[in-house]
Amino acid sequence: MFHTRRPGNALVRSAGLSYFPLAFIARLPFAMMTVGVLTLVVAERGSLTLGGLNSAAAGLGTALAGPLLGAAVDRLGQRRVLLPVGLVNAALLGAFPFVVTSTAADPVLLALSVLIGVSAPQISPMSRTRLVGLIRRSVAPDRRDKVVNGTMAYESAADETVFVVGPFLVGLLATALAPWLAVAAAAVLTLVFVTWFAVHPSGRLEPAATRTTTVQAPAGELFRAPLVTVVVGTLGVGLFFGATLTSLTGFLAADGDGDRAGLLYGVMGIGSAVLALGTAALSTRFTLPARWLTFGAVLLAAAVLFATARSVPALVVALAVLGCGIGPTLVTLYGLGTRLSPAGRSATTMTMLGSAVVVGQAVASAVTGLVTDSLGAGTALALPALAAALVVVAAVAHTAAVRRPTAVPRVPVPAH
C-alpha cells in the first residue's frame, strides 16, 4: 500500500519518503469515525436505529462542512486549517465514549456526532491538492500529465483501501478489547498523524501554488450527463458501504456479536485492496466505462449472495466476493471523475464525488438501522443489493450518455 514508485521519482523526492505512509495513516480516523460511532452506540445504548442515526449524523456533518473547509484552505493554507481542526476533532472523539456511557439524552449524543463530522479533517482532498501542487513545482511539463494520472490512481486506491481497513480495525479493537477503544484509537490517530500531516514539509506550499491557472469552465459543465452519472454511481457506492456494514451489524447483533461486524467487514478488504491496486495494470483497451459495468455486475451478483446469506460462513464468502467488485468500481469512478472534470473545476468534481460517498454511507446507515429494527435483519441484508443495482444502472446510463453524438468531449485536468 505504501509503495511510492508509481507516482514518480521526482514527486517522491519533493514530497519526501515519509509522506505517502503518513498520508495513508492520517486518513484512517475518518474511515473509523462513522463505524466506531455506530459500533459504540449499538453496544452501549442497545439500539441499532440510534447507532445508525449517529453514524449518519457524523457523515452528513462531514459532507456539509467539506466545501467550507476547502474554501478555508484555499485562503489560509492547509497548515493553518488542519492544525486546529485536527485538535478539535481529536478532543470530540475522545469525549464521545464518555458521553455515550453517561446518562446524556439521545439528542445530545446526536449533536456531538454532528460536531465530530463537521470537524473531521479532510485528508484525502488535502493530499490530492498538495501532491498536484508539488507536481507542478517539481515535475517537467512534458511529464506532468502522466505523473498526475499515476498519482490520482494511487490516491483513489488509498481511499478505497482505507474505507475497508478502518472498519476492520474498529471490529478488531471492539472484539478483542472494548467497543469504546476504537473511537479512542481514532482520537489518538487524529491527534498524532493529522497533526504530523499538517506540519509536514510538503504542506509549506502557499495556497496560490495549488490553484489552477486554467480558465474555469462554466459551472453548468458540472451537470453534463456523463459526469452526473459518475456522481450517482459514487453515491451508490456510498449507499453500499453504509447498508452493508449496518445490515451486517444488525444480523450479528441478533446473536450478541454486533461488535464483530467491523472484523467481518474487513474480509471484503482482501479482494478489494488487491484488485483496486491492480487496476493500474489493466489494459487500456479495457475502458473505464467497460470496467464500471463489469465490476459493477460482480458487485451486484455478490450483493444478491449477501442478501440470501443466513449464516456467518455464508456472509464471509459473500463479503470476499463483494470486495472483488467494490474496489475496482470505486477506483474506476474516481478515474472517470478526474477524466471528465471540466476545465478549472477539478477540486469541485473531487468534492462532489467525496461527498457522494459520505452522504450515501450516512443515509444508508440510518435507513438500514430503521429497517433492521422494524422489519428484521434478514430484510436489511437485501439493501446492499439495491445500492449495487444503482451502481449498475448508473453505469448503463453513463455508457449511453458518452455514446450520444451530442456528448461534450471531456477536458482532462489535474485533480486537486
Side-chain angles (χ1 to χ4, degrees), residues 30 59-60 62-64 66-67 122 163 227-242 330 333-334 348-364 387 390-391:
F30 175 78
L60 290 175
T62 300
L64 292 173
Q122 303 282 325
F163 266 107
L227 182 55
V228 170
T229 54
V230 172
V231 175
V232 173
T234 311
L235 175 66
V237 171
L239 291 169
F240 170 82
F241 280 137
L330 189 56
L333 287 166
Y334 271 106
T348 305
T349 302
M350 290 300 105
T351 301
M352 289 167 61
L353 296 181
S355 296
V357 173
V358 174
V359 170
Q361 187 176 28
V363 170
L390 177 61
V391 173

Side-chain angles (χ1 to χ4, degrees), residues 39-400:
T39 302
L40 179 57
V41 173
V42 171
E44 295 295 337
R45 297 288 177 110
S47 171
L48 187 59
T49 297
L50 183 61
L53 287 173
N54 275 273
S55 180
L60 290 175
T62 300
L64 292 173
L68 298 177
L69 185 65
V73 167
D74 284 339
R75 290 180 59 86
L76 304 173
Q78 291 192 14
R79 184 170 297 179
R80 293 180 180 179
V81 175
L82 284 178
L83 271 175
V85 166
L87 292 174
V88 170
N89 188 249
L92 292 173
L93 284 169
F96 191 76
F98 296 99
V99 177
V100 174
T101 55
S102 71
T103 57
D106 292 346
V108 174
L109 202 59
L110 286 169
L112 182 55
S113 295
V114 171
L115 292 176
I116 288 174
V118 167
S119 63
Q122 303 282 325
I123 298 301
S124 293
M126 299 303 161
S127 180
R128 284 180 169 87
T129 302
R130 189 177 295 191
L131 290 177
V132 168
L134 291 172
I135 290 169
R136 288 175 178 161
R137 189 174 66 176
S138 61
V139 177
D142 61 335
R143 295 187 60 246
R144 284 177 187 167
D145 286 346
K146 181 178 180 180
V147 176
V148 166
N149 289 337
T151 302
M152 291 305 106
Y154 166 81
E155 286 287 304
S156 296
D159 284 345
E160 193 281 329
T161 303
V162 162
F163 266 107
V164 177
V165 173
F168 176 79
L169 288 177
V170 171
L172 185 63
L173 292 171
T175 302
L177 297 170
W180 64 265
L181 190 58
V183 178
V188 173
L189 287 172
T190 299
L191 180 64
V192 176
F193 289 97
V194 171
T195 300
W196 186 3
F197 181 87
V199 301
H200 191 271
S202 62
R204 290 177 181 169
L205 284 175
E206 293 298 320
T210 62
R211 291 175 185 163
T212 179
T213 57
T214 305
V215 177
Q216 278 194 339
E221 294 291 325
L222 293 166
F223 301 99
R224 296 284 183 178
L227 182 55
V228 170
T229 54
V230 172
V231 175
V232 173
T234 311
L235 175 66
V237 171
L239 291 169
F240 170 82
F241 280 137
T244 302
L245 179 59
T246 309
S247 62
L248 179 63
T249 301
F251 184 85
L252 296 174
D255 295 325
D257 293 326
D259 55 359
R260 295 176 57 201
L263 193 60
L264 291 184
Y265 188 71
V267 172
M268 194 169 67
I270 299 173
S272 179
V274 171
L275 290 181
L277 292 171
T279 54
L282 295 174
S283 171
T284 54
R285 295 181 180 179
F286 191 12
T287 64
L288 292 180
R291 294 179 194 182
W292 184 2
L293 281 169
T294 301
F295 292 113
V298 172
L299 181 67
L300 178 57
V304 172
L305 181 64
F306 182 84
T308 59
R310 291 297 180 270
S311 67
V312 171
L315 287 171
V316 169
V317 171
L319 287 166
V321 182
L322 283 169
C324 298
I326 193 62
T329 298
L330 189 56
V331 171
T332 299
L333 287 166
Y334 271 106
L336 282 168
T338 301
R339 180 174 293 184
L340 293 167
S341 176
R345 299 280 183 179
S346 56
T348 305
T349 302
M350 290 300 105
T351 301
M352 289 167 61
L353 296 181
S355 296
V357 173
V358 174
V359 170
Q361 187 176 28
V363 170
S365 296
V367 171
T368 305
L370 291 171
V371 170
T372 301
D373 283 345
S374 59
L375 300 177
T379 302
L381 289 176
L383 297 182
L386 296 179
L390 177 61
V391 173
V392 174
V393 169
V396 174
H398 176 82
T399 301

